[in-house]
mmCIF file of all heavy atoms in Angstrom:
data_model
loop_
_atom_site.group_PDB
_atom_site.id
_atom_site.type_symbol
_atom_site.label_atom_id
_atom_site.label_comp_id
_atom_site.label_asym_id
_atom_site.label_seq_id
_atom_site.Cartn_x
_atom_site.Cartn_y
_atom_site.Cartn_z
ATOM 1 N N MET P 20 92.773 47.657 63.580
ATOM 2 C CA MET P 20 92.580 46.224 63.518
ATOM 3 C C MET P 20 93.558 45.494 64.425
ATOM 4 O O MET P 20 93.167 44.577 65.146
ATOM 5 C CB MET P 20 92.738 45.790 62.055
ATOM 6 C CG MET P 20 92.488 44.337 61.843
ATOM 7 S SD MET P 20 90.731 43.997 62.048
ATOM 8 C CE MET P 20 90.714 42.298 61.671
ATOM 9 N N LYS P 21 94.832 45.890 64.380
ATOM 10 C CA LYS P 21 95.836 45.250 65.226
ATOM 11 C C LYS P 21 95.552 45.495 66.699
ATOM 12 O O LYS P 21 95.797 44.631 67.534
ATOM 13 C CB LYS P 21 97.235 45.764 64.885
ATOM 14 C CG LYS P 21 97.820 45.177 63.651
ATOM 15 C CD LYS P 21 99.265 45.614 63.496
ATOM 16 C CE LYS P 21 99.894 44.981 62.287
ATOM 17 N NZ LYS P 21 101.298 45.356 62.153
ATOM 18 N N LYS P 22 95.031 46.665 66.993
ATOM 19 C CA LYS P 22 94.740 47.012 68.383
ATOM 20 C C LYS P 22 93.682 46.075 68.964
ATOM 21 O O LYS P 22 93.793 45.631 70.103
ATOM 22 C CB LYS P 22 94.293 48.463 68.472
ATOM 23 C CG LYS P 22 94.193 48.978 69.872
ATOM 24 C CD LYS P 22 93.878 50.459 69.885
ATOM 25 C CE LYS P 22 93.830 50.969 71.299
ATOM 26 N NZ LYS P 22 93.548 52.406 71.344
ATOM 27 N N LYS P 23 92.658 45.743 68.182
ATOM 28 C CA LYS P 23 91.603 44.834 68.641
ATOM 29 C C LYS P 23 92.164 43.440 68.883
ATOM 30 O O LYS P 23 91.781 42.756 69.836
ATOM 31 C CB LYS P 23 90.473 44.782 67.628
ATOM 32 C CG LYS P 23 89.634 46.025 67.576
ATOM 33 C CD LYS P 23 88.502 45.871 66.599
ATOM 34 C CE LYS P 23 87.692 47.153 66.514
ATOM 35 N NZ LYS P 23 86.559 47.010 65.588
ATOM 36 N N ILE P 24 93.063 42.991 68.008
ATOM 37 C CA ILE P 24 93.666 41.669 68.178
ATOM 38 C C ILE P 24 94.503 41.637 69.444
ATOM 39 O O ILE P 24 94.446 40.671 70.213
ATOM 40 C CB ILE P 24 94.507 41.301 66.929
ATOM 41 C CG1 ILE P 24 93.588 41.119 65.721
ATOM 42 C CG2 ILE P 24 95.320 40.039 67.179
ATOM 43 C CD1 ILE P 24 94.325 40.938 64.411
ATOM 44 N N TYR P 25 95.297 42.685 69.662
ATOM 45 C CA TYR P 25 96.134 42.735 70.870
ATOM 46 C C TYR P 25 95.286 42.757 72.137
ATOM 47 O O TYR P 25 95.603 42.089 73.127
ATOM 48 C CB TYR P 25 97.063 43.949 70.840
ATOM 49 C CG TYR P 25 98.185 43.844 69.843
ATOM 50 C CD1 TYR P 25 98.551 44.936 69.075
ATOM 51 C CD2 TYR P 25 98.876 42.651 69.663
ATOM 52 C CE1 TYR P 25 99.583 44.846 68.162
ATOM 53 C CE2 TYR P 25 99.911 42.556 68.757
ATOM 54 C CZ TYR P 25 100.262 43.652 68.008
ATOM 55 O OH TYR P 25 101.285 43.555 67.107
ATOM 56 N N ILE P 26 94.219 43.512 72.122
ATOM 57 C CA ILE P 26 93.344 43.588 73.291
ATOM 58 C C ILE P 26 92.675 42.234 73.537
ATOM 59 O O ILE P 26 92.596 41.768 74.677
ATOM 60 C CB ILE P 26 92.295 44.708 73.120
ATOM 61 C CG1 ILE P 26 92.989 46.067 73.186
ATOM 62 C CG2 ILE P 26 91.212 44.620 74.178
ATOM 63 C CD1 ILE P 26 92.091 47.238 72.861
ATOM 64 N N THR P 27 92.228 41.576 72.479
ATOM 65 C CA THR P 27 91.603 40.257 72.607
ATOM 66 C C THR P 27 92.595 39.242 73.163
ATOM 67 O O THR P 27 92.269 38.473 74.076
ATOM 68 C CB THR P 27 91.071 39.778 71.251
ATOM 69 O OG1 THR P 27 90.163 40.756 70.733
ATOM 70 C CG2 THR P 27 90.372 38.443 71.384
ATOM 71 N N LEU P 28 93.811 39.223 72.641
ATOM 72 C CA LEU P 28 94.835 38.311 73.140
ATOM 73 C C LEU P 28 95.178 38.598 74.597
ATOM 74 O O LEU P 28 95.387 37.682 75.391
ATOM 75 C CB LEU P 28 96.094 38.394 72.280
ATOM 76 C CG LEU P 28 96.000 37.753 70.894
ATOM 77 C CD1 LEU P 28 97.264 38.032 70.099
ATOM 78 C CD2 LEU P 28 95.760 36.277 71.004
ATOM 79 N N PHE P 29 95.231 39.871 74.949
ATOM 80 C CA PHE P 29 95.512 40.253 76.327
ATOM 81 C C PHE P 29 94.420 39.762 77.269
ATOM 82 O O PHE P 29 94.699 39.205 78.334
ATOM 83 C CB PHE P 29 95.666 41.769 76.431
ATOM 84 C CG PHE P 29 95.832 42.249 77.841
ATOM 85 C CD1 PHE P 29 97.032 42.053 78.507
ATOM 86 C CD2 PHE P 29 94.796 42.885 78.495
ATOM 87 C CE1 PHE P 29 97.187 42.486 79.812
ATOM 88 C CE2 PHE P 29 94.946 43.323 79.794
ATOM 89 C CZ PHE P 29 96.141 43.126 80.459
ATOM 90 N N ILE P 30 93.179 39.936 76.875
ATOM 91 C CA ILE P 30 92.056 39.519 77.717
ATOM 92 C C ILE P 30 92.023 38.005 77.850
ATOM 93 O O ILE P 30 91.827 37.476 78.959
ATOM 94 C CB ILE P 30 90.724 40.070 77.157
ATOM 95 C CG1 ILE P 30 90.688 41.590 77.329
ATOM 96 C CG2 ILE P 30 89.531 39.427 77.833
ATOM 97 C CD1 ILE P 30 89.523 42.261 76.635
ATOM 98 N N VAL P 31 92.234 37.271 76.760
ATOM 99 C CA VAL P 31 92.251 35.817 76.817
ATOM 100 C C VAL P 31 93.382 35.346 77.715
ATOM 101 O O VAL P 31 93.210 34.465 78.562
ATOM 102 C CB VAL P 31 92.372 35.221 75.394
ATOM 103 C CG1 VAL P 31 92.671 33.738 75.448
ATOM 104 C CG2 VAL P 31 91.111 35.493 74.601
ATOM 105 N N SER P 32 94.560 35.929 77.558
ATOM 106 C CA SER P 32 95.702 35.571 78.389
ATOM 107 C C SER P 32 95.429 35.870 79.861
ATOM 108 O O SER P 32 95.777 35.074 80.743
ATOM 109 C CB SER P 32 96.942 36.332 77.927
ATOM 110 O OG SER P 32 98.009 36.123 78.794
ATOM 111 N N LEU P 33 94.808 36.981 80.137
ATOM 112 C CA LEU P 33 94.483 37.357 81.507
ATOM 113 C C LEU P 33 93.531 36.350 82.139
ATOM 114 O O LEU P 33 93.747 35.899 83.271
ATOM 115 C CB LEU P 33 93.860 38.756 81.514
ATOM 116 C CG LEU P 33 93.594 39.383 82.865
ATOM 117 C CD1 LEU P 33 94.914 39.639 83.590
ATOM 118 C CD2 LEU P 33 92.834 40.680 82.686
ATOM 119 N N PHE P 34 92.496 35.939 81.416
ATOM 120 C CA PHE P 34 91.544 34.959 81.944
ATOM 121 C C PHE P 34 92.199 33.600 82.161
ATOM 122 O O PHE P 34 91.910 32.919 83.151
ATOM 123 C CB PHE P 34 90.323 34.830 81.037
ATOM 124 C CG PHE P 34 89.313 35.930 81.232
ATOM 125 C CD1 PHE P 34 88.986 36.774 80.186
ATOM 126 C CD2 PHE P 34 88.697 36.122 82.459
ATOM 127 C CE1 PHE P 34 88.060 37.792 80.362
ATOM 128 C CE2 PHE P 34 87.769 37.128 82.653
ATOM 129 C CZ PHE P 34 87.459 37.962 81.593
ATOM 130 N N ILE P 35 93.072 33.197 81.262
ATOM 131 C CA ILE P 35 93.771 31.920 81.436
ATOM 132 C C ILE P 35 94.652 31.961 82.671
ATOM 133 O O ILE P 35 94.677 31.010 83.469
ATOM 134 C CB ILE P 35 94.587 31.579 80.167
ATOM 135 C CG1 ILE P 35 93.635 31.219 79.029
ATOM 136 C CG2 ILE P 35 95.553 30.426 80.432
ATOM 137 C CD1 ILE P 35 94.313 31.064 77.687
ATOM 138 N N ASN P 36 95.368 33.050 82.869
ATOM 139 C CA ASN P 36 96.227 33.175 84.051
ATOM 140 C C ASN P 36 95.419 33.220 85.337
ATOM 141 O O ASN P 36 95.808 32.612 86.339
ATOM 142 C CB ASN P 36 97.106 34.421 83.935
ATOM 143 C CG ASN P 36 98.233 34.218 82.972
ATOM 144 O OD1 ASN P 36 98.866 33.175 82.950
ATOM 145 N ND2 ASN P 36 98.495 35.226 82.157
ATOM 146 N N ILE P 37 94.300 33.911 85.324
ATOM 147 C CA ILE P 37 93.435 33.959 86.510
ATOM 148 C C ILE P 37 92.881 32.569 86.812
ATOM 149 O O ILE P 37 92.817 32.160 87.972
ATOM 150 C CB ILE P 37 92.298 34.984 86.309
ATOM 151 C CG1 ILE P 37 92.874 36.398 86.351
ATOM 152 C CG2 ILE P 37 91.204 34.812 87.351
ATOM 153 C CD1 ILE P 37 91.878 37.474 85.980
ATOM 154 N N TYR P 38 92.516 31.821 85.779
ATOM 155 C CA TYR P 38 92.001 30.464 85.972
ATOM 156 C C TYR P 38 93.045 29.573 86.638
ATOM 157 O O TYR P 38 92.765 28.905 87.628
ATOM 158 C CB TYR P 38 91.568 29.868 84.634
ATOM 159 C CG TYR P 38 91.296 28.393 84.708
ATOM 160 C CD1 TYR P 38 90.118 27.933 85.277
ATOM 161 C CD2 TYR P 38 92.216 27.468 84.240
ATOM 162 C CE1 TYR P 38 89.855 26.570 85.367
ATOM 163 C CE2 TYR P 38 91.969 26.112 84.322
ATOM 164 C CZ TYR P 38 90.794 25.665 84.888
ATOM 165 O OH TYR P 38 90.554 24.326 84.988
ATOM 166 N N PHE P 39 94.261 29.550 86.086
ATOM 167 C CA PHE P 39 95.289 28.679 86.642
ATOM 168 C C PHE P 39 95.739 29.123 88.033
ATOM 169 O O PHE P 39 95.999 28.291 88.897
ATOM 170 C CB PHE P 39 96.495 28.577 85.700
ATOM 171 C CG PHE P 39 96.243 27.674 84.531
ATOM 172 C CD1 PHE P 39 96.196 28.177 83.245
ATOM 173 C CD2 PHE P 39 96.034 26.320 84.723
ATOM 174 C CE1 PHE P 39 95.961 27.345 82.166
ATOM 175 C CE2 PHE P 39 95.793 25.472 83.659
ATOM 176 C CZ PHE P 39 95.760 25.990 82.376
ATOM 177 N N LEU P 40 95.796 30.419 88.277
ATOM 178 C CA LEU P 40 96.140 30.911 89.610
ATOM 179 C C LEU P 40 95.049 30.541 90.606
ATOM 180 O O LEU P 40 95.333 30.073 91.709
ATOM 181 C CB LEU P 40 96.349 32.426 89.595
ATOM 182 C CG LEU P 40 96.674 33.065 90.936
ATOM 183 C CD1 LEU P 40 98.028 32.565 91.439
ATOM 184 C CD2 LEU P 40 96.672 34.569 90.829
ATOM 185 N N GLY P 41 93.796 30.713 90.237
ATOM 186 C CA GLY P 41 92.689 30.356 91.118
ATOM 187 C C GLY P 41 92.639 28.869 91.385
ATOM 188 O O GLY P 41 92.397 28.433 92.502
ATOM 189 N N LYS P 42 92.879 28.078 90.346
ATOM 190 C CA LYS P 42 92.900 26.625 90.520
ATOM 191 C C LYS P 42 94.005 26.224 91.472
ATOM 192 O O LYS P 42 93.808 25.393 92.351
ATOM 193 C CB LYS P 42 93.094 25.958 89.164
ATOM 194 C CG LYS P 42 93.094 24.452 89.202
ATOM 195 C CD LYS P 42 93.246 23.892 87.781
ATOM 196 C CE LYS P 42 93.339 22.398 87.798
ATOM 197 N NZ LYS P 42 94.683 21.919 88.032
ATOM 198 N N TRP P 43 95.164 26.836 91.339
ATOM 199 C CA TRP P 43 96.278 26.504 92.223
ATOM 200 C C TRP P 43 95.977 26.934 93.654
ATOM 201 O O TRP P 43 96.219 26.183 94.600
ATOM 202 C CB TRP P 43 97.563 27.181 91.746
ATOM 203 C CG TRP P 43 98.717 26.926 92.652
ATOM 204 C CD1 TRP P 43 99.462 25.794 92.739
ATOM 205 C CD2 TRP P 43 99.243 27.827 93.637
ATOM 206 N NE1 TRP P 43 100.421 25.932 93.708
ATOM 207 C CE2 TRP P 43 100.312 27.173 94.274
ATOM 208 C CE3 TRP P 43 98.919 29.122 94.025
ATOM 209 C CZ2 TRP P 43 101.046 27.764 95.276
ATOM 210 C CZ3 TRP P 43 99.658 29.711 95.023
ATOM 211 C CH2 TRP P 43 100.700 29.030 95.635
ATOM 212 N N LEU P 44 95.430 28.128 93.840
ATOM 213 C CA LEU P 44 95.152 28.631 95.181
ATOM 214 C C LEU P 44 94.036 27.859 95.876
ATOM 215 O O LEU P 44 94.107 27.594 97.071
ATOM 216 C CB LEU P 44 94.777 30.111 95.132
ATOM 217 C CG LEU P 44 95.919 31.092 94.935
ATOM 218 C CD1 LEU P 44 95.358 32.495 94.761
ATOM 219 C CD2 LEU P 44 96.891 31.051 96.088
ATOM 220 N N LEU P 45 92.986 27.521 95.147
ATOM 221 C CA LEU P 45 91.812 26.928 95.776
ATOM 222 C C LEU P 45 91.843 25.404 95.829
ATOM 223 O O LEU P 45 91.247 24.817 96.728
ATOM 224 C CB LEU P 45 90.552 27.374 95.033
ATOM 225 C CG LEU P 45 90.284 28.873 95.066
ATOM 226 C CD1 LEU P 45 89.083 29.211 94.203
ATOM 227 C CD2 LEU P 45 90.067 29.351 96.486
ATOM 228 N N ILE P 46 92.505 24.753 94.907
ATOM 229 C CA ILE P 46 92.434 23.292 94.836
ATOM 230 C C ILE P 46 93.788 22.647 95.069
ATOM 231 O O ILE P 46 93.969 21.877 96.007
ATOM 232 C CB ILE P 46 91.853 22.850 93.474
ATOM 233 C CG1 ILE P 46 90.437 23.378 93.321
ATOM 234 C CG2 ILE P 46 91.883 21.344 93.341
ATOM 235 C CD1 ILE P 46 89.843 23.182 91.952
ATOM 236 N N ASP P 47 94.740 22.933 94.212
ATOM 237 C CA ASP P 47 96.020 22.223 94.237
ATOM 238 C C ASP P 47 96.808 22.465 95.519
ATOM 239 O O ASP P 47 97.442 21.552 96.035
ATOM 240 C CB ASP P 47 96.884 22.623 93.037
ATOM 241 C CG ASP P 47 96.250 22.219 91.729
ATOM 242 O OD1 ASP P 47 95.387 21.313 91.748
ATOM 243 O OD2 ASP P 47 96.613 22.796 90.686
ATOM 244 N N GLN P 48 96.790 23.666 96.017
ATOM 245 C CA GLN P 48 97.573 24.008 97.202
ATOM 246 C C GLN P 48 97.104 23.224 98.431
ATOM 247 O O GLN P 48 97.900 22.871 99.282
ATOM 248 C CB GLN P 48 97.479 25.502 97.467
ATOM 249 C CG GLN P 48 98.357 25.964 98.596
ATOM 250 C CD GLN P 48 98.271 27.468 98.796
ATOM 251 O OE1 GLN P 48 97.462 28.137 98.170
ATOM 252 N NE2 GLN P 48 99.090 28.005 99.650
ATOM 253 N N TRP P 49 95.832 22.896 98.524
ATOM 254 C CA TRP P 49 95.297 22.251 99.718
ATOM 255 C C TRP P 49 95.495 20.747 99.718
ATOM 256 O O TRP P 49 95.379 20.105 100.746
ATOM 257 C CB TRP P 49 93.811 22.566 99.854
ATOM 258 C CG TRP P 49 93.592 24.030 100.043
ATOM 259 C CD1 TRP P 49 93.110 24.893 99.113
ATOM 260 C CD2 TRP P 49 93.880 24.820 101.195
ATOM 261 N NE1 TRP P 49 93.068 26.168 99.621
ATOM 262 C CE2 TRP P 49 93.533 26.145 100.902
ATOM 263 C CE3 TRP P 49 94.395 24.517 102.459
ATOM 264 C CZ2 TRP P 49 93.683 27.176 101.820
ATOM 265 C CZ3 TRP P 49 94.539 25.554 103.372
ATOM 266 C CH2 TRP P 49 94.186 26.854 103.052
ATOM 267 N N TYR P 50 95.784 20.156 98.577
ATOM 268 C CA TYR P 50 95.890 18.705 98.498
ATOM 269 C C TYR P 50 97.319 18.191 98.461
ATOM 270 O O TYR P 50 97.531 17.005 98.381
ATOM 271 C CB TYR P 50 95.151 18.180 97.262
ATOM 272 C CG TYR P 50 93.658 18.344 97.394
ATOM 273 C CD1 TYR P 50 92.966 19.195 96.564
ATOM 274 C CD2 TYR P 50 92.960 17.656 98.374
ATOM 275 C CE1 TYR P 50 91.602 19.355 96.696
ATOM 276 C CE2 TYR P 50 91.600 17.811 98.510
ATOM 277 C CZ TYR P 50 90.920 18.656 97.666
ATOM 278 O OH TYR P 50 89.584 18.814 97.802
ATOM 279 N N VAL P 51 98.294 19.060 98.490
ATOM 280 C CA VAL P 51 99.693 18.639 98.440
ATOM 281 C C VAL P 51 100.245 18.625 99.859
ATOM 282 O O VAL P 51 100.320 19.650 100.526
ATOM 283 C CB VAL P 51 100.524 19.598 97.554
ATOM 284 C CG1 VAL P 51 101.978 19.201 97.566
ATOM 285 C CG2 VAL P 51 99.975 19.600 96.149
ATOM 286 N N ALA P 52 100.601 17.443 100.334
ATOM 287 C CA ALA P 52 101.140 17.313 101.685
ATOM 288 C C ALA P 52 102.668 17.347 101.619
ATOM 289 O O ALA P 52 103.280 16.707 100.774
ATOM 290 C CB ALA P 52 100.691 16.006 102.308
ATOM 291 N N ASN P 53 103.255 18.092 102.528
ATOM 292 C CA ASN P 53 104.710 18.104 102.570
ATOM 293 C C ASN P 53 105.196 16.996 103.504
ATOM 294 O O ASN P 53 104.416 16.240 104.075
ATOM 295 C CB ASN P 53 105.236 19.481 102.983
ATOM 296 C CG ASN P 53 104.723 19.912 104.339
ATOM 297 O OD1 ASN P 53 104.259 19.102 105.109
ATOM 298 N ND2 ASN P 53 104.819 21.208 104.617
ATOM 299 N N GLU P 54 106.490 16.896 103.678
ATOM 300 C CA GLU P 54 107.075 15.803 104.461
ATOM 301 C C GLU P 54 106.648 15.868 105.931
ATOM 302 O O GLU P 54 106.377 14.839 106.560
ATOM 303 C CB GLU P 54 108.595 15.888 104.350
ATOM 304 C CG GLU P 54 109.321 14.635 104.745
ATOM 305 C CD GLU P 54 110.801 14.715 104.411
ATOM 306 O OE1 GLU P 54 111.122 15.111 103.291
ATOM 307 O OE2 GLU P 54 111.601 14.384 105.301
ATOM 308 N N GLU P 55 106.559 17.067 106.477
ATOM 309 C CA GLU P 55 106.160 17.230 107.883
ATOM 310 C C GLU P 55 104.708 16.767 108.083
ATOM 311 O O GLU P 55 104.400 16.090 109.070
ATOM 312 C CB GLU P 55 106.299 18.690 108.288
ATOM 313 C CG GLU P 55 105.938 18.960 109.739
ATOM 314 C CD GLU P 55 106.035 20.445 110.087
ATOM 315 O OE1 GLU P 55 106.554 21.221 109.272
ATOM 316 O OE2 GLU P 55 105.575 20.803 111.178
ATOM 317 N N ASP P 56 103.828 17.119 107.152
ATOM 318 C CA ASP P 56 102.433 16.696 107.257
ATOM 319 C C ASP P 56 102.298 15.182 107.189
ATOM 320 O O ASP P 56 101.496 14.585 107.910
ATOM 321 C CB ASP P 56 101.603 17.328 106.145
ATOM 322 C CG ASP P 56 101.460 18.833 106.301
ATOM 323 O OD1 ASP P 56 101.618 19.322 107.436
ATOM 324 O OD2 ASP P 56 101.181 19.502 105.287
ATOM 325 N N GLU P 57 103.078 14.564 106.312
ATOM 326 C CA GLU P 57 103.017 13.110 106.197
ATOM 327 C C GLU P 57 103.504 12.433 107.477
ATOM 328 O O GLU P 57 102.951 11.416 107.891
ATOM 329 C CB GLU P 57 103.843 12.641 105.004
ATOM 330 C CG GLU P 57 103.214 13.014 103.675
ATOM 331 C CD GLU P 57 104.074 12.614 102.493
ATOM 332 O OE1 GLU P 57 105.178 12.073 102.696
ATOM 333 O OE2 GLU P 57 103.617 12.837 101.362
ATOM 334 N N THR P 58 104.511 13.007 108.128
ATOM 335 C CA THR P 58 105.016 12.445 109.388
ATOM 336 C C THR P 58 103.955 12.548 110.478
ATOM 337 O O THR P 58 103.695 11.574 111.197
ATOM 338 C CB THR P 58 106.288 13.191 109.825
ATOM 339 O OG1 THR P 58 107.249 13.122 108.781
ATOM 340 C CG2 THR P 58 106.865 12.599 111.087
ATOM 341 N N ILE P 59 103.335 13.708 110.582
ATOM 342 C CA ILE P 59 102.291 13.912 111.598
ATOM 343 C C ILE P 59 101.105 12.992 111.332
ATOM 344 O O ILE P 59 100.565 12.368 112.252
ATOM 345 C CB ILE P 59 101.854 15.394 111.618
ATOM 346 C CG1 ILE P 59 102.998 16.265 112.123
ATOM 347 C CG2 ILE P 59 100.614 15.581 112.474
ATOM 348 C CD1 ILE P 59 102.740 17.749 111.993
ATOM 349 N N LEU P 60 100.708 12.871 110.065
ATOM 350 C CA LEU P 60 99.593 11.991 109.728
ATOM 351 C C LEU P 60 99.919 10.536 110.066
ATOM 352 O O LEU P 60 99.071 9.813 110.596
ATOM 353 C CB LEU P 60 99.248 12.116 108.248
ATOM 354 C CG LEU P 60 98.083 11.284 107.750
ATOM 355 C CD1 LEU P 60 96.808 11.655 108.488
ATOM 356 C CD2 LEU P 60 97.912 11.466 106.255
ATOM 357 N N GLY P 61 101.144 10.113 109.814
ATOM 358 C CA GLY P 61 101.560 8.757 110.155
ATOM 359 C C GLY P 61 101.486 8.505 111.647
ATOM 360 O O GLY P 61 101.028 7.440 112.095
ATOM 361 N N GLU P 62 101.919 9.474 112.448
ATOM 362 C CA GLU P 62 101.859 9.325 113.906
ATOM 363 C C GLU P 62 100.410 9.266 114.387
ATOM 364 O O GLU P 62 100.081 8.498 115.296
ATOM 365 C CB GLU P 62 102.589 10.484 114.573
ATOM 366 C CG GLU P 62 104.097 10.463 114.358
ATOM 367 C CD GLU P 62 104.793 11.706 114.877
ATOM 368 O OE1 GLU P 62 104.105 12.616 115.391
ATOM 369 O OE2 GLU P 62 106.025 11.771 114.756
ATOM 370 N N MET P 63 99.544 10.068 113.782
ATOM 371 C CA MET P 63 98.135 10.063 114.175
ATOM 372 C C MET P 63 97.476 8.722 113.837
ATOM 373 O O MET P 63 96.663 8.214 114.612
ATOM 374 C CB MET P 63 97.390 11.201 113.478
ATOM 375 C CG MET P 63 97.766 12.574 113.981
ATOM 376 S SD MET P 63 97.067 13.921 113.012
ATOM 377 C CE MET P 63 95.339 13.595 113.130
ATOM 378 N N VAL P 64 97.835 8.141 112.699
ATOM 379 C CA VAL P 64 97.270 6.851 112.316
ATOM 380 C C VAL P 64 97.698 5.772 113.301
ATOM 381 O O VAL P 64 96.889 4.945 113.738
ATOM 382 C CB VAL P 64 97.688 6.486 110.873
ATOM 383 C CG1 VAL P 64 97.373 5.042 110.559
ATOM 384 C CG2 VAL P 64 97.014 7.411 109.871
ATOM 385 N N VAL P 65 98.977 5.792 113.695
ATOM 386 C CA VAL P 65 99.480 4.788 114.643
ATOM 387 C C VAL P 65 98.758 4.949 115.984
ATOM 388 O O VAL P 65 98.347 3.948 116.596
ATOM 389 C CB VAL P 65 101.007 4.930 114.812
ATOM 390 C CG1 VAL P 65 101.501 4.086 115.972
ATOM 391 C CG2 VAL P 65 101.715 4.534 113.530
ATOM 392 N N LYS P 66 98.565 6.175 116.462
ATOM 393 C CA LYS P 66 97.862 6.400 117.723
ATOM 394 C C LYS P 66 96.409 5.946 117.630
ATOM 395 O O LYS P 66 95.861 5.405 118.580
ATOM 396 C CB LYS P 66 97.925 7.880 118.107
ATOM 397 C CG LYS P 66 99.288 8.303 118.600
ATOM 398 C CD LYS P 66 99.300 9.754 119.011
ATOM 399 C CE LYS P 66 100.670 10.185 119.466
ATOM 400 N NZ LYS P 66 100.716 11.585 119.888
ATOM 401 N N ALA P 67 95.769 6.187 116.481
ATOM 402 C CA ALA P 67 94.362 5.786 116.326
ATOM 403 C C ALA P 67 94.242 4.264 116.293
ATOM 404 O O ALA P 67 93.297 3.711 116.861
ATOM 405 C CB ALA P 67 93.796 6.370 115.036
ATOM 406 N N ILE P 68 95.181 3.588 115.679
ATOM 407 C CA ILE P 68 95.131 2.124 115.620
ATOM 408 C C ILE P 68 95.383 1.522 116.994
ATOM 409 O O ILE P 68 94.719 0.557 117.389
ATOM 410 C CB ILE P 68 96.150 1.598 114.585
ATOM 411 C CG1 ILE P 68 95.705 1.974 113.183
ATOM 412 C CG2 ILE P 68 96.330 0.091 114.710
ATOM 413 C CD1 ILE P 68 96.704 1.657 112.113
ATOM 414 N N ASN P 69 96.293 2.098 117.762
ATOM 415 C CA ASN P 69 96.652 1.557 119.067
ATOM 416 C C ASN P 69 95.720 1.971 120.194
ATOM 417 O O ASN P 69 95.839 1.434 121.298
ATOM 418 C CB ASN P 69 98.092 1.955 119.429
ATOM 419 C CG ASN P 69 99.107 1.312 118.499
ATOM 420 O OD1 ASN P 69 98.862 0.247 117.949
ATOM 421 N ND2 ASN P 69 100.244 1.956 118.341
ATOM 422 N N SER P 70 94.806 2.870 119.952
ATOM 423 C CA SER P 70 93.915 3.325 121.040
ATOM 424 C C SER P 70 92.850 2.269 121.315
ATOM 425 O O SER P 70 92.486 1.457 120.462
ATOM 426 C CB SER P 70 93.253 4.641 120.659
ATOM 427 O OG SER P 70 92.325 4.447 119.637
ATOM 428 N N ASN P 71 92.332 2.282 122.534
ATOM 429 C CA ASN P 71 91.326 1.314 122.948
ATOM 430 C C ASN P 71 89.938 1.672 122.425
ATOM 431 O O ASN P 71 89.061 0.816 122.345
ATOM 432 C CB ASN P 71 91.285 1.207 124.464
ATOM 433 C CG ASN P 71 92.562 0.578 124.998
ATOM 434 O OD1 ASN P 71 93.179 -0.209 124.300
ATOM 435 N ND2 ASN P 71 92.942 0.962 126.209
ATOM 436 N N ASP P 72 89.696 2.943 122.148
ATOM 437 C CA ASP P 72 88.376 3.379 121.662
ATOM 438 C C ASP P 72 88.245 2.960 120.235
ATOM 439 O O ASP P 72 87.287 2.703 119.671
ATOM 440 C CB ASP P 72 88.222 4.894 121.783
ATOM 441 C CG ASP P 72 88.219 5.334 123.241
ATOM 442 O OD1 ASP P 72 87.959 4.472 124.101
ATOM 443 O OD2 ASP P 72 88.474 6.512 123.485
#
């Protein structure tokens, strides 16, 4: 009986960890800009505003 409970808890824990790792890898990691990215984006915005096109 205890063995089934341990296996069930292990499987549930494994799925939860896979979910959060996948969410971090596929979604959260791509939307967080670091300081260098923000600087480059700021320069690109200024160039786009000042361009004649």
Side-chain angles (χ1 to χ4, degrees):
M20 183 71 177
K21 282 187 177 182
K22 190 174 182 179
K23 288 183 182 181
I24 293 172
Y25 288 139
I26 291 173
T27 304
L28 287 174
F29 175 74
I30 291 171
V31 169
S32 173
L33 187 65
F34 280 119
I35 290 172
N36 284 318
I37 289 172
Y38 168 77
F39 283 114
L40 178 65
K42 182 178 176 275
W43 177 77
L44 284 174
L45 297 175
I46 298 171
D47 296 339
Q48 185 178 7
W49 297 106
Y50 291 114
V51 177
N53 59 18
E54 197 171 313
E55 181 182 350
D56 292 338
E57 290 177 358
T58 304
I59 293 172
L60 181 60
E62 291 173 359
M63 290 172 58
V64 168
V65 169
K66 286 182 182 181
I68 291 173
N69 294 333
S70 70
N71 292 331
D72 294 340

